[in-house]
Structure formats: structure tokens, C-alpha cells
Amino acid sequence: MTPTRWLRAAAADLDAIRGRDPSVHSRGEALLHPALPALWGYRAAHRLHTAGLRRTARLLSNAARVLSGGVEIHPGATIGRRFFVDHGSGVVIGETAVIGDDVTLFHQVTLGSTGWWNDRARPAGARRHPAVGDRVVIGAGATLLGPITVGADAVIGAQALVIHDVPERARVLAPVAGAAAGRTSAGRRPVRRLRAVDGAAPADGPAARADGSADSADSADGRARASTARAFPIW
């Protein structure tokens, strides 16, 4: 990559942070965003990984993880342009994950595999992790497992567990917890158990809209909720 292209890509990353985090007002402030070390560390580590320098790439990836407060991106993952991780802590992206352009992830998102006992049975070089399309938004705490495909402009709600393909523009939402009635010895009504409320939007996500992607999902006629993916209660 030429210096000019590198500078353009870096500027695009900073503009993506400024555009999707309302608390960031300039490129200079975006330079201090906690997810930036993870992203730029990944981009350098990925080049080393593809050049066959796997151990050096791993070392750089580990350093980026520390600097970013816990964003773990395997150097072998493929990530598109203007990728953004909000807050960042606890994000895990596996080796064969594929992420398109303008994708937004919130904290504690996992793009993982279904376990080594399944992966060992796959053909050599087979994808083990999710492929995420362009402009997808994945809410806090969501977990996507296995070689599934998430279509472009889909929205995955907070705390959703997704193990099947998701079509384009679909919305996958985990049920919202509700409190059951009951009293303690102090006369207060405790939460004895939580129950799922079907069809309600999650309280905390997906909170952000990436370049209008959520808007397009909202306007989808089907408003497909978990049409092919499975979403589980969070308790």
C-alpha cells in the first residue's frame, strides 16, 4: 500500500469513528478512541499474517488487544473499510471471520466458532466463523457462532445468540427481560425470575445507526425478526 492510500484509509477510519460516536467531534479526538489501536493493529497484523509471519502478527495483535482494552481480532480475519467498534471491551473476532464495509460492532460481541470438536471435522481451510455483510450493526453482547452468513444491512440486537444464517435487512432481537410479581420479607417486590417478552425491542441495543443502515432495516417491509436466526433470553 502506498503512503497516499494508507493516509486515505486512516482518514476513513477516523471519519468512521467521528460519524458513529456522537461523543467524538474531530479526527484528533478520534485518534484517542479506544478501539483505534485494535483496528490499526489488526490492519498491520493482517498484512504480516498474509505474508506468512504468523508469530509476529500474533505478537502485534496481542499488543493491540492490550492497548484497546480487550478487543481481540485474529490477524487472519478479513475486515472491510470503515469498520467501527464502539467502546470495544470484550470483542472477539475469530480467524476466518469475514466482515464487510461499514460494519459496526458494540462491546462484548463475539464472532466465534462452534467449538474445536466441530472445527476439527471441517475440511482444511474451511470457514469456521461468521461472514458479516456490508452495513451490518451488531449490538452489545451479541454472539454469532459458526460459519453462518449475515446479509447486508441486517441488525443483530443486544444479547442475541445467532447460529443460523440471517437474510439481508433482517432484524434479530433477543427477548427483553421482565420482572415477575412477588414480595420479600422487607415488603419489596423482588425479581424472582425473568421472562421473555416477544416482539419487544431490546432496551440497550442496537443503539447506534451506522450510516443509515438501521434506518433501512427499520423500513424493511418484513421487519423480519429472527426469521432464520435464533434469539434467546439473556438470563
Side-chain angles (χ1 to χ4, degrees), residues 173-209:
L173 304 180
V176 177
R183 291 182 180 279
T184 66
S185 57
R188 296 180 178 177
R189 292 180 179 273
V191 177
R192 294 197 303 180
R193 66 183 179 85
L194 302 176
R195 62 184 175 83
V197 181
D198 294 333
D204 55 342
R209 295 169 182 270

Side-chain angles (χ1 to χ4, degrees), residues 134-159:
D134 296 340
R135 299 173 298 281
V136 168
V137 177
I138 303 179
T143 299
L144 285 66
L145 300 179
I148 61 174
T149 298
V150 178
D153 298 303
V155 176
I156 309 297
Q159 303 292 347

Side-chain angles (χ1 to χ4, degrees), residues 21-231:
D21 189 337
S23 68
V24 177
H25 300 281
S26 66
R27 286 181 177 176
E29 194 173 355
L31 283 170
L32 302 177
H33 195 278
L36 195 60
L39 179 58
W40 285 359
Y42 156 77
R43 298 209 187 283
H46 182 67
R47 294 179 67 84
L48 295 171
H49 181 86
T50 54
L53 303 174
R54 295 175 61 93
R55 282 180 291 187
T56 306
R58 278 278 198 175
L59 182 63
L60 182 57
S61 179
N62 289 342
R65 178 184 178 184
V66 172
L67 292 174
S68 63
V71 178
E72 180 178 339
I73 306 176
H74 194 285
T78 302
I79 299 178
R81 298 171 295 176
R82 299 177 295 278
F83 175 62
F84 177 57
V85 179
D86 201 0
H87 303 294
S89 176
V91 169
V92 177
I93 299 175
E95 179 183 11
T96 62
V98 179
I99 298 176
D101 296 336
D102 299 301
V103 171
T104 299
L105 270 58
F106 285 81
H107 54 285
Q108 296 181 337
V109 167
T110 298
L111 303 182
S113 71
T114 56
W116 59 265
W117 51 91
N118 292 322
D119 296 337
R120 293 293 187 192
R122 301 185 194 279
R127 185 163 58 86
R128 311 189 307 275
H129 302 93
V132 178
D134 296 340
R135 299 173 298 281
V136 168
V137 177
I138 303 179
T143 299
L144 285 66
L145 300 179
I148 61 174
T149 298
V150 178
D153 298 303
V155 176
I156 309 297
Q159 303 292 347
L161 173 60
V162 184
I163 57 175
H164 297 291
D165 290 346
V166 177
E168 294 183 358
R169 299 178 181 272
R171 301 185 70 184
V172 179
L173 304 180
V176 177
R183 291 182 180 279
T184 66
S185 57
R188 296 180 178 177
R189 292 180 179 273
V191 177
R192 294 197 303 180
R193 66 183 179 85
L194 302 176
R195 62 184 175 83
V197 181
D198 294 333
D204 55 342
R209 295 169 182 270
D211 295 340
S213 60
D215 291 333
S216 59
D218 285 339
S219 62
D221 293 335
R223 291 181 179 273
R225 299 176 182 273
S227 54
T228 60
R230 298 174 62 188

